Amino acid sequence: MSALANQKILLGVTGGIAVYKSAMLLRALLEAGAEVRVAMTAAAQTFVTPLTFQALSGRPIHTELLDPAAEAAMGHIELARWADLILIAPVSADFMARLSVGMANDLLSAICLATTAPIALAPAMNRQMWLNPATQENVQRLTARGLLIWGPAEGVQACGESGPGRMLEPEALLDQVSAHFAGGALAGVKVVLTAGSTREPIDPVRFISNRSSGKMGFALAAALRRLGAEVVLVAGPVALATPAGVQRIDVETAQEMQLAVSEQLAGCDIFVGVAAVADYRPREIAQQKIKKQQTVMTLELERNPDILADVAAAEDPPFTVGFAAETQNVKAYAEEKRRAKRIDLIAANRVAAAEGGFERDENALTLLWEGGGESLPMMLKSELAARLAARIAERYHARTQQENS
Ligand code: PMT
């Protein structure tokens, strides 16, 4: 049975171009078995009329603070008591500001003030509005009060700018809601995850590295955390903020990464290698900056440890997830890697220059595990991470169940 069966969700809709996605979200929630009622602000109704939501849900839409049709004419109290979860998607910067100071000047804000149910917000706004210190202060204040903030995703926005502020896609929000009602599919599970590149020094100012930005790994760390896991993120040198609730250990070289991982393996249930670890390092590190005297120079390299393979080869290995970065024969090479390194699940991506993988905000993955697989098409890394995290949780529990039976 779906984790959402018979759960009562009040879907709040505030003003923004992303309102059309809430209609898709409503349908997805209903299909997953939830009971859904919808409350719209006046601004939301300027983008999509209540009729659309009424037609999809088969119920009247709540728009007025004082509703003569409601028992005792206090619709906000009835709805506040009815809901098991209030999900506001999209939530605008203005609505978050009003929530943060406890205003109750329309139906939806009054419901939020009157409820004891958890409230989840899926922000959608222009990236500058999201990054504005006023909005960020409101987010912090709301988070401190226990409200859940789901998203926003990064990417191209309706205003033509690119950056954080897009509402999570309906599928990703459905994953979040499911995980919420499942009590966090990874509650009590320890995950160790590597992300970013490594740097292998040549001399005090030069190093060998690669294009990994850490975006995929950081997004996955955040998604696993949202499923309730205790997440330790071993990060190479990247310029990204640590996801909320995640413990981060910064390293530079592959050997440092291996040491940090080995120190975290006690009690580790799931290991995920997203990092693009340098396979080789210079045999000698020059103590002083190398002078350009020769026209041709040879650098002698030696193999770095394979962190993922070592974790999978441990005596009592955690559930092990690897990534495969390939430029051709993606599926076949990834399956070879999965078998050779004896890992439980591999996420393969094409990293040809034009198609991405590295650095970009979007990616596509082919997931392979013993006896199964799934293709996740091109989407934002934040959304891809939510889908992959859900699959990791599902495969991890399947293996645990098999071991215990
Ligand atoms: O960081 P981004 O810019 O967002 O880009 C994301 C990504 C392209 C880096 C990511 O999606 C990805 O593919 N990560 C794995 C990159 C890689 O090194 O792939 P590989 O096929 O060379 O390695 C296979 C697996 O072994 C990986 O899980 C890797 O972490 C692991 N490995 C590899 C070498 C090594 N010495 N130790 C390892 O643990």
Side-chain angles (χ1 to χ4, degrees), residues 39-336:
M40 297 178 79
T41 63
Q45 294 169 59
T46 59
F47 287 88
V48 173
T49 67
L51 262 186
T52 304
F53 288 90
Q54 181 166 334
L56 288 171
S57 68
R59 288 185 157 276
I61 304 308
H62 305 274
T63 55
E64 301 304 323
L65 180 54
L66 298 173
D67 179 3
E71 193 187 323
M74 289 188 290
H76 60 293
I77 302 293
E78 286 170 27
L79 286 167
R81 288 183 185 149
W82 173 83
D84 294 321
L85 170 73
I86 295 176
L87 167 60
I88 308 184
V91 68
S92 62
D94 172 70
F95 196 82
M96 285 202 298
R98 287 199 278 136
L99 270 189
S100 77
V101 291
M103 287 179 75
N105 56 343
D106 65 4
L107 174 66
L108 190 54
S109 54
I111 291 171
C112 291
L113 213 56
T115 195
T116 53
I119 302 174
L121 307 176
M125 65 196 73
N126 162 273
R127 73 183 181 96
Q128 291 298 358
M129 291 174 77
W130 171 253
L131 295 172
N132 189 293
T135 304
Q136 289 304 309
E137 268 173 38
N138 292 334
V139 169
Q140 272 176 18
R141 209 176 298 150
L142 293 167
T143 310
R145 258 185 240 153
L147 276 76
L148 306 164
I149 311 284
W150 292 342
E154 294 202 13
V156 180
Q157 302 193 288
C159 55
E161 293 183 20
S162 186
R166 276 171 61 126
M167 188 174 101
L168 290 185
E169 293 300 323
E171 303 80 38
L173 283 172
L174 185 66
D175 285 345
Q176 296 276 15
V177 176
S178 303
H180 171 82
F181 283 112
L186 292 177
V189 171
K190 178 176 174 184
V191 178
V192 178
L193 183 143
T194 66
S197 64
T198 63
R199 282 181 183 172
E200 310 300 329
I202 298 170
D203 68 14
V205 296
R206 302 182 179 97
F207 54 81
I208 298 173
S209 192
N210 59 64
R211 292 179 178 280
S212 173
S213 63
K215 285 178 186 172
M216 189 69 243
F218 275 55
L220 188 55
L224 291 163
R225 174 70 197 131
R226 281 196 298 271
L227 292 187
E230 176 200 337
V231 181
V232 179
L233 171 60
V234 181
V238 298
L240 294 173
T242 310
V246 167
Q247 183 195 339
R248 173 172 174 174
I249 301 171
D250 285 318
V251 298
E252 198 157 310
T253 65
Q255 287 174 302
E256 287 170 11
M257 187 172 270
Q258 186 193 36
L259 181 65
V261 166
S262 66
E263 286 173 352
Q264 288 298 326
L265 278 184
C268 168
D269 302 292
I270 300 177
F271 173 78
V272 192
V274 193
V277 186
D279 289 316
Y280 291 89
R281 64 176 182 274
R283 191 182 282 277
E284 305 274 335
I285 305 172
Q287 293 307 305
Q288 305 299 333
K289 185 180 170 201
I290 299 171
K291 292 287 174 200
K292 52 170 188 279
Q293 285 153 347
Q294 305 119 296
T295 41
V296 176
M297 183 186 157
T298 306
L299 204 55
E300 211 180 340
L301 302 177
E302 65 185 333
R303 279 293 287 266
N304 264 329
D306 190 319
I307 302 167
L308 177 69
D310 288 352
V311 170
E315 201 174 311
D316 184 16
F319 182 85
T320 309
V321 181
F323 269 63
E326 308 291 350
T327 52
Q328 55 177 335
N329 300 333
V330 177
K331 200 169 165 185
Y333 286 169
E335 181 59 11
E336 246 172 55

